[in-house]
């Protein structure tokens, strides 16, 4: 570059006026930088909140409390109402169960089919919601070993949380004592105006995946809870109207159908459920019904007395001592026997407004789980005792109960501890995510509002 060109360029540069920097230029730049940094920090905080919420509320595997002793399962000393955030059986399997329960405290208008499950080894609560409403202990059954729940057409494996078709097109009646055979009633037919009928009762073998017995019922209706399978699984007892029909698998025709070899008259009594067979398999229990004048609930003067009958001739087994009467009981459902003289039973306790209606086998929704039942007691009935021994009673609002027969018969009890309701269900995870998103959007709107306000204030000052 020549000296003349250099001088010309310097002259041009000196003639250019100096750039005027607006007042508060650097202050506004610093404020703008701070606002951008605050907005970025807010977005990052919202993102971290979303990620943290999702991690905290994520669905997890079965969580076994460290204090649980899986070698010492038993019936609990306390039962609580599981909140709506309780994990479902499918989401987090509870393991072998001690109890299946239901009632107003467990269900509501939005969760009409909800049932509660309590594990045998610790206070691990889970929820179960079958497709249709099922009454725990009558339409929804817990297997004697506590591993399975049979509700509708599904078997729920409580150790894995999975469910599968039971292989039966009918309504549950009873598990066999070993859980391998299932007694069921064919779907009822309806004859106007108010008569129901069960075409037949079947006995399904889970190992063979086929029926091993069918008993044609005809025009009578067999409601839930009115059947029992013998200890060896070879005989079936079913209440048909005012009789107990006894049928053997060995007597079945090639098509699996068999006629009763004996019919025991009940005269207003009942077959007391799945535990009706005595351990020797040669006797079956029945209930006789009468009234009392000094009943605990005066408006419900119903009394039940437990008797045993030999299947050889149907006669009442001769015993010097009788079982204690069960007064003001809406129903008596035998769980099993500790000996020929000690029976464990679930007994319905009526509320103050309960009414003792006459027996109507063909019209009542179920003659066992009656509307007036306010709670359920697990009782031990001993021959010669003045009164039954109460082992457990459900709290207010839990009006349906069934227990693992094996635990009840063994009499094993564990102390209840702190309830474990499991990981939150998906609806709660979704609700948390939505609330977090709303909080993030609100924060973003607030930051934008503050930014616009500052711009307007800056414009006024100019």
């Amino acid at each position: 570059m020549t000296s003349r060109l250099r001088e010309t360029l310097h002259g041009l540069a000196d003639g250019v006026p100096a750039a005027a920097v607006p007042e508060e230029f650097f202050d506004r730049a610093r404020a703008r930088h701070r606002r951008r940094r605050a907005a970025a920090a807010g977005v990052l905080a919202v993102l971290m909140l979303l990620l943290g919420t999702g991690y905290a509320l994520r669905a997890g595997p079965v969580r076994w409390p460290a204090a649980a002793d899986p070698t010492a399962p038993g019936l609990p000393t306390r039962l609580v109402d599981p909140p709506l955030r309780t994990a479902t059986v499918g989401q987090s399997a509870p393991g072998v169960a001690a109890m299946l329960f239901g009632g107003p405290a467990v269900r509501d208008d939005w969760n009409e089919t909800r049932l509660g499950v309590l594990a045998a080894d610790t206070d691990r609560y889970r929820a179960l919601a079958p497709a249709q409403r099922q009454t725990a202990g009558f339409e929804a059954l817990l297997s004697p070993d506590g591993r399975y729940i049979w509700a509708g057409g599904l078997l729920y494996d409580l150790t894995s949380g999975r469910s599968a078709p039971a292989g039966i097109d009918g309504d549950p009646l009873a598990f066999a004592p070993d859980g391998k055979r299932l007694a069921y009633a064919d779907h009822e037919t309806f004859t106007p105006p108010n008569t129901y009928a069960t075409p037949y009762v079947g006995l399904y073998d889970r190992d063979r995946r086929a029926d091993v017995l069918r008993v044609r019922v005809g025009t009578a209706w067999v409601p839930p809870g009115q059947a029992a399978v013998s200890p060896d699984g070879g005989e079936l007892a079913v209440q048909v109207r005012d009789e107990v029909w006894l049928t053997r698998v060995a007597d079945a025709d090639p098509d699996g159908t068999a006629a009763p070899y004996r019919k025991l008259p009940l005269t207003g009594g009942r077959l007391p459920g799945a535990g009706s067979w005595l351990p020797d398999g040669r006797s079956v229990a029945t209930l006789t019904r009468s009234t009392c004048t000094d009943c605990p609930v005066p408006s419900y003067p119903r009394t039940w007395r437990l008797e045993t009958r030999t299947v050889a001739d149907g006669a009442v087994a001769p015993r010097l001592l009788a079982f204690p009467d069960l007064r003001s009981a809406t129903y008596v459902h035998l769980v099993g026997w500790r000996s020929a003289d000690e029976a464990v039973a679930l007994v319905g306790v009526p509320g103050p407004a309960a009414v003792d209606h006459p027996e109507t086998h063909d019209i009542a929704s179920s003659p066992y789980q009656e509307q007036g039942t306010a709670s359920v007691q697990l009782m031990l009935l001993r021959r010669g005792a003045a009164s039954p021994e109460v082992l457990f009673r459900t709290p207010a609002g839990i009006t349906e109960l069934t227990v693992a027969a094996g635990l009840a018969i063994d009499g094993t009890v564990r102390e209840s501890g702190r309830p474990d309701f499991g990981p939150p269900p998906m609806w709660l995870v979704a609700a948390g995510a939505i609330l977090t998103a709303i909080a993030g959007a609100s924060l973003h709107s607030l930051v934008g509002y503050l930014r616009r306000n500052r711009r307007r204030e800056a414009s006024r000052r100019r």
Side-chain angles (χ1 to χ4, degrees):
M1 179 182 295
T2 63
S3 58
R4 184 176 180 180
L5 177 60
R6 184 182 302 108
E7 291 175 0
T8 302
L9 292 176
H10 279 291
L12 291 174
D14 293 340
V16 175
V21 178
E23 291 186 26
E24 301 179 352
F25 174 80
F26 293 105
D27 292 338
R28 289 199 299 272
R30 282 193 291 268
R32 188 162 52 248
H33 176 69
R34 285 196 296 267
R35 287 196 297 271
R36 288 174 180 172
R37 188 169 54 186
V43 171
L44 180 62
V46 170
L47 180 61
M48 294 299 294
L49 182 60
L50 282 170
L51 293 176
T53 302
Y55 179 81
L57 298 180
R58 75 194 188 284
V62 179
R63 297 184 298 179
W64 305 97
D69 183 3
T71 64
L75 297 178
T77 56
R78 182 185 59 166
L79 187 64
V80 302
D81 170 27
L84 290 179
R85 65 180 176 84
T86 303
T88 63
V89 167
Q91 180 186 7
S92 175
V96 172
M99 294 181 172
L100 172 68
F101 56 95
V106 182
R107 291 187 285 261
D108 57 35
D109 292 340
W110 295 96
N111 301 274
E112 296 180 349
T113 67
R114 190 170 181 261
L115 296 170
V117 181
L118 176 57
D121 60 347
T122 189
D123 279 28
R124 190 166 42 254
Y125 287 84
R126 298 295 182 264
L128 182 72
Q132 296 179 345
R133 180 166 176 169
Q134 310 282 321
T135 302
F138 298 94
E139 297 158 311
L141 307 180
L142 182 64
S143 64
D145 61 2
R147 178 174 176 177
Y148 296 98
I149 291 175
W150 182 16
L154 297 178
L155 272 179
Y156 297 86
D157 188 338
L158 300 179
T159 62
S160 67
R162 293 188 294 268
S163 62
I168 298 170
D169 187 20
D171 300 318
L173 289 178
F175 275 96
D178 62 2
K180 293 184 178 181
R181 290 186 172 179
L182 312 176
Y184 71 96
D186 188 26
H187 293 300
E188 62 194 27
T189 60
F190 176 69
T191 303
N194 55 12
T195 301
Y196 295 89
T198 300
Y200 67 88
V201 171
L203 185 60
Y204 178 81
D205 190 292
R206 293 176 56 206
D207 292 336
R208 300 183 189 180
R209 297 185 179 181
D211 287 351
V212 294
L213 178 66
R214 286 192 176 190
V215 183
R216 300 192 185 281
V217 176
T219 59
W221 180 50
V222 179
Q226 285 192 293
V229 185
S230 63
D232 63 358
E235 296 192 43
L236 180 64
V238 180
Q239 180 177 347
V240 179
R241 287 202 177 95
D242 217 22
E243 295 177 327
V244 174
W245 291 6
L246 303 176
T247 314
R248 299 188 187 96
V249 173
D251 296 338
D253 295 335
D255 63 354
T257 303
Y261 69 86
R262 182 154 288 105
K263 296 182 179 181
L264 309 179
L266 288 174
T267 319
R270 289 183 184 172
L271 179 72
S276 297
W277 287 89
L278 272 69
D280 61 8
R282 297 193 296 268
S283 301
V284 67
T286 58
L287 293 168
T288 58
R289 174 175 172 164
S290 60
T291 59
C292 54
T293 57
D294 57 345
C295 281
V297 181
S299 63
Y300 206 88
R302 183 189 301 185
T303 297
W304 298 105
R305 172 168 289 184
L306 185 64
E307 297 178 339
T308 58
R309 302 188 185 189
T310 57
V311 298
D313 56 10
V316 176
R319 293 279 182 172
L320 296 177
L321 301 176
F323 289 101
D325 290 344
L326 293 160
R327 300 177 302 159
S328 290
T330 57
Y331 67 87
V332 179
H333 190 97
L334 286 186
V335 176
W337 297 77
R338 295 183 179 177
S339 69
D341 296 324
E342 291 185 326
V344 183
L346 292 165
V347 180
V349 179
V355 177
D356 186 7
H357 293 292
E359 192 74 64
T360 50
H361 293 287
D362 292 334
I363 299 175
S365 60
S366 171
Y368 282 87
Q369 184 67 25
E370 299 185 15
Q371 296 299 321
T373 301
S375 63
V376 183
Q377 291 179 333
L378 181 66
M379 289 185 164
L380 178 63
L381 310 178
R382 289 193 180 96
R383 285 190 183 273
S387 60
E389 178 184 348
V390 178
L391 305 176
F392 184 87
R393 180 167 180 162
T394 59
I398 297 180
T399 59
E400 306 165 12
L401 176 70
T402 184
V403 300
L407 297 178
I409 294 170
D410 292 342
T412 53
V413 178
R414 63 171 178 79
E415 286 295 327
S416 295
R418 182 178 179 180
D420 168 25
F421 301 116
M426 291 307 299
W427 65 265
L428 186 57
V429 175
I434 291 172
L435 290 176
T436 304
I438 293 173
S442 300
L443 179 61
H444 183 269
S445 299
L446 178 61
V447 171
Y449 173 76
L450 294 176
R451 182 183 300 172
R452 290 190 296 272
N453 265 2
R454 289 173 180 173
R455 287 176 180 172
R456 284 195 291 269
E457 291 174 1
S459 298
R460 292 192 194 100
R461 285 196 295 268
R462 287 198 298 268

